[in-house]
Structure formats: C-alpha cells, structure tokens
C-alpha cells in the first residue's frame, strides 16, 4: 500500500541529507544569518556541537508569523517562482534547513524583526512544536540547537570525536569569516575562544586576523581579475557589455614551496558560497602542474564571482555542489588566473631560521632543498645543493642512528607526502619483470645509486632496487614507535623557541593531542592567542624543521576526519616524524652508508613497506635475468 509520509517523517528523511553532522547545522544557520544581512555573528558550541550549537546574529530577524512558518518544509522567504531558482543570490533558497534541523534536535529560536516591538520564542523538540511565546529581545535571531540526533541513534553513532567535529566547525566558521571580511565573527567552545574577528577592511586584513602573519607570508594574492563571459542566447538582454556579463576571480594561493598532504586547505567560494567542486580543483591542479609534485596540494582560497544565472546551486541538498553554465570557460579562467599569480611569485627562504640553532650540517639554501625533487621550470629533477656524503660525520654503527639522520636534509620527499588513506599499494609486479618482494633479502651488497635516489644492490637471488628515502623512513618509524613505548623518545632543545601561529582548526587538534606531542619530545608552551612556542623537538629532525614537523602533524591529524585511537595517533605521529627526518632522494650516499641503511632496514619488523604502505624494494630475480639473456 502506498502512503504519503507524514510531515514529521518526511522532515527526518530530509534531515538525513541536509544535516549530516554538527558542522552542517552550523553551516545552515550561518548562511541564514548572512542572508539576513547580519553584521555580527556569534557561534558557540559545546561537545563538538552535539550538546549545543548556538548561533546569534543581528540580522533582519523574523516576525512571529514568519518564525512559525520558517519551520515548515519548503518555507522560504528567498525565492518565489521557478525563474527565481535560476537567479538565486542568497545562500539559502530551499526552505529545508530549519525543519530538518528541528526534526533531529531540541531547537530554541529567539527572534525579533526590527520593525516589531516584541520578539518571539519558539521551542521545537524532534520536529514537534512545544511552545510559542512572546519575549523581549533586541532585533536579530538566536538559534540554540541542543542534543543533535538525540532521536536518531543511528546517525548519532556515526559522529566522530568531539574534537574532530569542533575542528570541522572551526574550519567552516573560519572560512565563512574569510568570505565576509566586513562581518564580525566569533566562535567559542566551552573552553576556548577559537575565533574572534572584528570587521575588517579587506580580505587580506581578515586573513591576517584569522590565520596570522605566518600564513599570509606563505600565500600570494590573486588580485581581482574579471573576464567577459562567453555570450549565449539572451533574447531579453542588450548586447552591451556590462558587469553582468563578467566573471571575476580573486583570492590567495600558496607559494610553490608550500606542500600539503591533502586538499583540506583548498577553499573555493562561488558567489561567496563555500563549495566543493571538482572542476575548480582540477583547474587548480593544472595551474600547479610542474610546480608541485602530483601527490601534494597547495593552499587556496579562491573566490569566484559571476552572475547568479551562470551557476546552478540547486544540484545537491547541502548546496555544496554547483554546476556552471560555462564550465570550460570557468575552468580555464581559474587555471590561468592562478597560473599568472604563481608566475609572479619569487622564491622565498623556506625557513626564517635565524633564530633557531643551526646545525653544523645545515644546508646552505633551504629553497634548493624544497625543490630538489622537481624543478619548477622544467619538471626534471634538479641537483640539490647539498654537501657530498663525504662531508658528513659518518663512521657510524647501527647503534648510533640518530646522528646519521640528523646530518641530512629533513624535508619530506614530496612524492611521499601523501595521506595514508590514498596510499594504496601499487600492483605487485609490473610488466618489466621487476617485482615487489615479500621477504627481505639477506646479504645484500650495495653497488651504487640510480640518480642518487635508488640504491642498487645484488645478492645471489638477483638484483635489488631500494628506495632510499622510503627505506630510511621505515627504519626511523619503527625506532620512534619503540622509543615511545619505552618512554624514551629523544628530544632536542632548540637554542631559541620557535613561535608558531596556529590556525583555528590546528589549535583544536593541538589542544587535543598536546600530551602525545610531549611524549614525542615536543616541549611547547602557549604564547598568546592561538600562538605557541616550540622549545624542544624530536631529536631526529633538524632544529629548523621543528615547526614544519609540528604543523605537518597537526594537519595530518586534522585531515584524518575522525577521532584517532591513541595507537593510531602514535603511528601517525611516528610516520610524520620519520617522513621529515629520513634522508631524501637526490642525496649521494657512499657504500658504507648504503650498507648501513640496508643493515638497519633488515632489522625492522616490516622492511618491505614504508609506514604509508608503499614498497621499499623491488627485485629483478636471477630467474628473470637468466630468462632475459635466454640462458633458460
Ligand atoms: P532557506 O534558507 O533555504 O530559505 P531555511 O529553512 O534555512 O530555508 O530558513 C527558512 C526561512 O527562515 C528563511 O527563508 C528566512 O526567511 C528565515 N530565517 C532563517 N534564519 C533566519 C535568520 N537568522 N534571520 C532571519 N530570518 C531567518
Ligand atoms: Mg537556509
């Protein structure tokens, strides 16, 4: 028997699409406040938004009738006709958010329209109206959404840890704050003021307010550029070229030396709406081609503006996907604008390292290192400006691994810097006869290096190729994990503390994992609002790399998107330390060092794969060699 679902059930179903997690509630409420013309928006959350999401604005407010209507499905003040749907200039328009949120929480709405003398309070639990009362309050609107998903246990179970949810919310509010510099934003949790941004005069000022000067230094500005849209049939409109026919782009993108493990720091806004869009991501990747290795990502804050009719936002209930009317044009416009901004950048020193201890073996130029893998101009490997291996204090035995690693360059090899999630194993064997091995070979005799990156070794079983960075990474990873278990992770004191500004979501993660960072040899002290001072760092890395490592760990945990178990967190940190401390590719090694590395590798529990799951060595077996020479 077919039935039309009761309103309450329909709303719960819709809630599944609109309200996926606490940050989706924050997003909808923020968008409503922005649509209501707010100048000041305050967000407060408790327990990562599960217990409370509070959003208050000084926008237009609602009359009593409108407030009651707002919780009806498809009740919206923003569009009226089908035609309006193609010209949406507000963030909301579907009229689905409030009924969806109210269906899965205990919601309290206080609101007053400026023209009304009294305000209205509405209480709704699980979609059922509890009370409507008259209250006194200033114009504007306040939502209190409590106990999210209290009546949908299945949904509640899928929520991640409180800090993960708070991280999402912090990132969301931060980026809406960036999209609207003229509006004051404040975000607090029970314990922290995560963001407090007074109205700013420009995007650059807001970026400085929110992210700090260090982030700003890593970015280049895309000054606003506009380009005429391709023409299309517009019978009602004149031929003349107006603002209405143009698309504009502006924002900030990271300098080539900034490399992120994932796309989490790429934010794209279309008409000030935060979206996730493949087309723009692709354009961005293209713009960085031959500038960034394929598996790392830039930071980007891109604002695209175009006539509302040029973009269809009614593609997905959460309005995060859009369809461009002229997608090819938008793609190329974005790519070319980013590329042009990149072309104007000048390399900058990787470390403002004057204030940290410089080891005797510090590299002459940080920048040369950052690029030792891929040369920006021609995409080929450039020779790194490093000392030859002979200059290094090597006479080491296996019991002295730390000086070995300390004497090398510690930046992560870009091609390795990818999140474990997408580091799936390559196929076990390729057509050329090399195979990834499943048992570690003994008695390997190193013969030399290919391109100062891959160690070639031989034994009676055949010919072996070892990725030197990945091999060393495995060694360091296991050493660190066992040191942590024995509470003996070595730490080095920095000559001067390194001050690091944290982004709001990094601060959330930092608070969450501070103890584990300490176990790992980081001694860090708060140093003002969202700023910390690193006083000690893990011993394996170069002192100058302390900041980079800490930020990589925070970003890595941010990216995880779920509450990590202590065990998983330890693995994650150890893998990140190993990645930063391991010798890189493009590094000459003499026979002794190669033998040392192979010996250390043989001692590890998992010599065959790196901590990210990639293979460490390949084999060309004796059998294959004999076959190739037609001896068998
Ligand atoms: P939509 O935003 O798609 O119109 P919502 O369910 O989010 O739908 O909101 C329904 C209506 O409630 C809005 O169209 C708007 O008129 C009103 N409303 C919601 N939040 C606010 C607010 N903070 N200030 C003023 N009006 C609001
Ligand atoms: Mg809305």
């Amino acid at each position: 028997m077919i039935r039309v679902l009761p309103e309450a059930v329909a709303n719960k179903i819709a809630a599944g699409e609109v309200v996926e997690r606490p940050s989706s509630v924050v997003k909808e409420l923020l968008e409503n406040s922005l649509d209501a013309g707010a100048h000041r928006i305050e967000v407060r959350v408790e327990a990562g938004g599960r217990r409370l999401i509070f959003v208050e604005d000084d926008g237009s407010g609602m009359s009593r009738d409108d407030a009651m209507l707002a919780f009806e499905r498809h009740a919206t003040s923003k569009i009226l006709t089908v035609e309006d749907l193609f010209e949406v200039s507000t963030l909301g328009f579907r009229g689905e958010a409030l009924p969806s949120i109210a269906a899965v929480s205990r919601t309290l709405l206080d609101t007053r329209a400026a023209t009304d003398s009294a305000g209205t309070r509405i209480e709704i639990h699980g979609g059922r109206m509890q009370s409507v009362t008259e209250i006194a309050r200033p114009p504007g609107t306040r939502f209190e959404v409590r106990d999210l998903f209290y009546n949908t246990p299945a949904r509640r179970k899928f929520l991640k840890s409180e800090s993960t949810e708070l991280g999402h919310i912090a990132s969301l509010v931060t980026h809406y704050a960036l999209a609207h510099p003229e509006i004051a934003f404040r975000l607090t949790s029970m314990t922290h003021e995560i963001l407090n941004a007074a109205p700013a005069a420009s995007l650059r000022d807001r970026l400085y307010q929110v992210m700090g000067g260090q982030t700003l230094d890593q970015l280049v500005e895309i000054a606003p550029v506009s380009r005429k849209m391709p023409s299309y049939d517009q019978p009602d409109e004149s031929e003349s070229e107006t603002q209405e026919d143009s698309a504009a782009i502006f924002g900030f993108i990271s300098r080539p030396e900034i490399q992120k493990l994932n796309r989490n720091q790429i934010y794209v806004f279309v008409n000030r709406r935060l979206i996730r869009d493949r087309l723009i991501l692709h354009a961005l990747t293209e713009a960085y081609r031959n500038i960034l290795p394929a598996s790392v990502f830039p930071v980007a804050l891109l604002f695209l503006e175009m006539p509302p009719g040029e973009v269809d936002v009614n593609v997905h209930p959460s309005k995060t996907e859009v369809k461009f009317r002229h997608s090819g044009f938008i793609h190329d416009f974005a790519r070319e604008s980013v590329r042009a901004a990149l072309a104007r950048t000048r390399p900058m020193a990787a470390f403002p390292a004057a204030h940290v201890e410089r080891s005797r073996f510090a590299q002459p130029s940080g920048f040369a290192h950052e690029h030792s893998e891929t040369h920006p101009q021609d995409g080929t490997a450039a020779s790194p400006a490093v000392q030859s291996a002979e200059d290094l204090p090597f006479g080491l035995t296996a019991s002295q691994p730390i000086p070995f690693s300390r004497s090398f360059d510690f930046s992560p090899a870009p091609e390795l810097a990818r999140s474990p999630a997408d580091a799936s194993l390559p196929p076990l064997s390729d057509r050329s006869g090399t195979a990834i091995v499943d048992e570690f070979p003994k008695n390997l005799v190193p013969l030399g290096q290919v391109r100062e990156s891959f160690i070639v070794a031989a034994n009676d079983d055949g010919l072996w190729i070892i990725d030197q960075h990945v091999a060393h990474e495995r060694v360091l990873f296991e050493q660190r994990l066992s040191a942590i278990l024995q509470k003996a992770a070595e730490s080095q004191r920095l000559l001067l503390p390194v001050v690091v500004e944290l982004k709001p979501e990094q601060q959330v993660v930092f608070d969450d994992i501070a103890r584990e960072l300490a176990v790992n040899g980081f001694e860090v002290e708060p140093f003002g609002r969202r700023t910390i001072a690193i006083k000690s760092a893990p011993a394996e890395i170069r002192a100058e790399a302390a900041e980079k490592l800490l930020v990589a760990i925070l970003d890595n945990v941010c990216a995880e998107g779920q509450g990590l178990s202590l065990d998983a967190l330890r693995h994650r940190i150890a893998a990140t330390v190993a990645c930063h401390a391991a010798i890189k590719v493009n590094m000459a090694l003499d026979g002794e060092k190669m033998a040392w590395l192979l010996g250390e590798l043989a001692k590890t529990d998992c010599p065959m794969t790196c901590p990210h799951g990639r293979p460490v060595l390949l084999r060309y077996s004796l059998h294959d060699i004999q076959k190739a020479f037609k001896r068998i």
Side-chain angles (χ1 to χ4, degrees):
M1 187 167 74
I2 297 179
R3 297 194 194 95
V4 174
L5 291 173
E7 180 84 1
V9 181
N11 282 340
K12 249 186 171 178
I13 293 173
E17 291 181 316
V18 180
V19 187
E20 195 194 335
R21 59 199 312 171
S23 61
S24 1
V25 174
V26 176
K27 174 174 181 289
E28 294 295 339
L29 296 182
L30 271 185
E31 290 191 348
N32 281 345
S33 295
L34 291 167
D35 282 344
H39 298 288
R40 186 187 57 78
I41 301 176
E42 163 143 23
V43 183
R44 246 174 24 218
V45 293
E46 290 177 13
R50 283 183 214 195
R51 190 155 63 226
L52 171 71
I53 293 167
F54 168 109
V55 176
E56 177 156 38
D57 67 53
D58 61 352
S60 64
M62 286 174 266
S63 69
R64 181 189 170 101
D65 287 352
D66 277 354
M68 288 171 68
L69 211 71
F71 290 100
E72 299 285 325
R73 211 144 159 244
H74 304 307
T76 178
S77 57
K78 300 170 192 174
I79 58 171
L80 196 59
T81 65
V82 176
E83 288 73 45
D84 290 346
L85 201 48
F86 300 107
E87 292 282 335
V88 177
S89 59
T90 49
L91 294 165
F93 58 87
R94 296 172 67 105
E96 277 182 333
L98 294 187
S100 301
I101 293 166
V104 292
S105 67
R106 300 182 226 271
T107 295
L108 183 78
L109 161 65
D110 285 357
T111 187
R112 191 190 127 197
T115 46
D116 292 350
S117 52
T120 308
R121 166 169 294 180
I122 296 179
E123 234 179 313
I124 301 190
H125 292 176
R128 271 175 237 283
M129 191 87 75
Q130 307 290 308
S131 63
V132 181
T133 45
E134 197 174 287
I135 53 160
R137 62 155 286 127
T141 304
R142 166 199 290 189
F143 277 94
E144 286 180 25
V145 176
R146 287 181 194 277
D147 307 324
L148 189 63
F149 302 135
Y150 80 99
N151 56 351
T152 50
R155 179 63 59 154
R156 199 171 54 224
K157 254 191 250 155
F158 281 104
L159 284 182
K160 312 290 190 192
S161 74
E162 288 181 10
S163 63
T164 301
E165 296 298 344
L166 181 59
H168 278 285
I169 293 169
S171 153
L172 187 88
V173 178
T174 303
H175 287 87
Y176 270 98
L178 289 170
H180 300 273
E182 69 290 355
I183 296 174
F185 280 85
R186 184 156 182 263
L187 169 65
T188 51
S189 69
M190 297 259 276
T191 50
H192 280 77
E193 180 177 81
I194 298 167
L195 179 85
N196 190 355
S202 66
L203 173 60
R204 173 176 283 274
D205 288 356
R206 179 49 66 86
L207 200 56
Y208 181 81
Q209 260 180 345
V210 170
M211 303 287 210
Q214 286 180 352
T215 301
L216 204 52
D217 287 344
Q218 298 179 341
L219 302 176
V220 258
E221 183 158 10
I222 304 179
V225 252
S226 63
R227 188 180 285 185
K228 192 179 175 330
M229 304 282 311
S231 56
Y232 49 89
D233 291 337
Q234 275 180 312
D236 300 339
E237 275 175 39
S238 71
E239 292 283 298
S240 72
E241 195 176 313
T242 65
Q243 273 290 87
E244 290 297 292
D245 301 326
S246 303
I249 189 170
F250 61 96
F252 286 84
I253 48 166
S254 53
R255 294 172 175 280
E257 58 269 31
I258 307 302
Q259 303 183 349
K260 296 293 170 185
L261 301 173
N262 50 53
R263 297 181 182 84
N264 287 14
Q265 321 239 20
I266 298 175
Y267 284 83
V268 179
F269 295 80
V270 172
N271 294 345
R272 308 290 165 120
R273 177 197 305 281
L274 183 58
I275 58 152
R276 288 266 158 239
D277 182 74
R278 288 243 199 94
L279 184 87
I280 306 292
L281 275 181
H282 185 266
L284 195 60
T285 312
E286 292 256 289
Y288 277 90
R289 172 172 294 177
N290 293 342
I291 293 177
L292 278 187
S295 54
V296 301
F297 303 93
V299 178
L301 203 61
L302 290 181
F303 292 90
L304 281 143
E305 311 271 301
M306 60 196 77
E310 281 294 325
V311 51
D312 183 1
V313 284
N314 192 22
V315 178
H316 189 265
S318 68
K319 298 164 290 178
T320 47
E321 287 168 33
V322 296
K323 267 217 293 275
F324 296 104
R325 186 162 178 174
H326 292 103
S327 53
F329 168 84
I330 294 294
H331 176 275
D332 295 352
F333 180 39
R335 185 195 58 208
E336 285 155 27
S337 310
V338 171
R339 191 88 197 175
L342 277 173
R344 285 191 296 269
T345 66
R346 288 282 162 273
M348 68 165 198
F351 301 110
H355 58 299
V356 290
E357 175 196 6
R358 264 201 174 273
S359 88
R360 196 151 69 84
F361 310 104
Q363 309 304 336
S365 146
F367 182 70
H369 283 291
E370 296 288 314
H371 285 277
S372 57
E373 306 262 343
T374 311
H375 200 269
Q377 267 80 54
D378 57 17
T380 59
S383 60
V386 294
Q387 299 97 324
S388 76
E390 283 71 37
D391 298 338
L392 300 168
F394 201 76
L396 293 176
T397 64
S399 59
Q400 294 171 285
I402 288 169
F404 174 82
S405 55
R406 197 181 275 169
S407 58
F408 286 92
D409 182 80
F410 301 110
S411 310
E415 102 284 357
L416 247 190
R418 51 157 107 169
S419 74
D422 52 21
S424 54
L425 272 170
L428 270 176
S429 165
D430 67 21
R431 269 157 270 109
S432 62
T434 49
I436 293 159
V437 224
D438 47 12
E439 200 182 311
F440 191 77
K442 307 291 174 202
N443 316 320
L444 281 185
V445 178
L447 306 176
Q449 284 171 293
V450 177
R451 278 231 181 187
E452 303 189 333
S453 302
F454 304 101
I455 298 172
V456 180
N459 68 358
D460 284 350
D461 297 332
L463 192 68
W464 305 79
I465 305 175
I466 298 100
D467 182 322
Q468 65 192 40
H469 170 79
V470 170
H472 195 205
E473 206 181 22
R474 164 53 69 183
V475 171
L476 293 172
F477 173 71
E478 293 199 9
Q479 283 173 353
R480 172 143 283 265
L481 268 191
S482 78
I484 293 289
L485 286 178
Q486 292 159 23
K487 302 203 169 20
E490 281 194 59
S491 175
Q492 61 180 318
R493 195 154 184 91
L494 307 182
L495 208 58
L496 283 170
V498 181
V499 175
V500 186
E501 289 172 33
L502 298 181
K503 293 176 200 161
E505 68 242 58
Q506 290 172 337
Q507 175 75 55
V508 170
V509 172
F510 177 80
D511 294 337
D512 207 37
I513 67 169
R515 186 177 304 172
E516 198 49 33
L517 289 171
V519 171
N520 270 280
F522 274 108
E523 189 191 338
V524 178
E525 281 181 1
F527 192 84
R529 217 168 66 82
R530 272 212 330 267
T531 304
I532 54 172
I534 309 177
K535 303 181 102 179
S536 303
E540 296 97 316
I541 60 154
R542 284 194 320 181
E544 296 92 307
E547 171 183 351
K548 243 186 162 182
L549 172 63
L550 182 66
V551 168
I553 291 172
L554 295 178
D555 285 349
N556 228 334
V557 177
C558 280
E560 189 49 30
Q562 60 183 325
L564 290 170
S565 66
L566 180 60
D567 211 38
L569 177 63
R570 287 198 164 155
H571 276 74
R572 184 63 45 87
I573 293 176
T576 312
V577 174
C579 186
H580 279 66
I583 53 169
K584 293 177 65 175
V585 293
N586 294 317
M587 160 79 63
L589 301 177
D590 63 19
E592 200 182 350
K593 293 182 189 73
M594 290 190 276
W596 175 87
L597 182 56
L598 296 180
E600 285 298 297
L601 185 63
K603 286 191 223 154
T604 60
D605 292 335
C606 280
M608 319 312 286
T609 53
C610 86
H612 305 293
R614 303 198 316 161
V616 171
L617 64 169
L618 305 173
R619 178 189 58 189
Y620 198 63
S621 73
L622 181 64
H623 181 80
D624 288 337
I625 295 171
Q626 287 173 325
K627 231 167 112 186
F629 284 116
K630 312 246 178 274
R631 288 189 172 272
I632 51 173

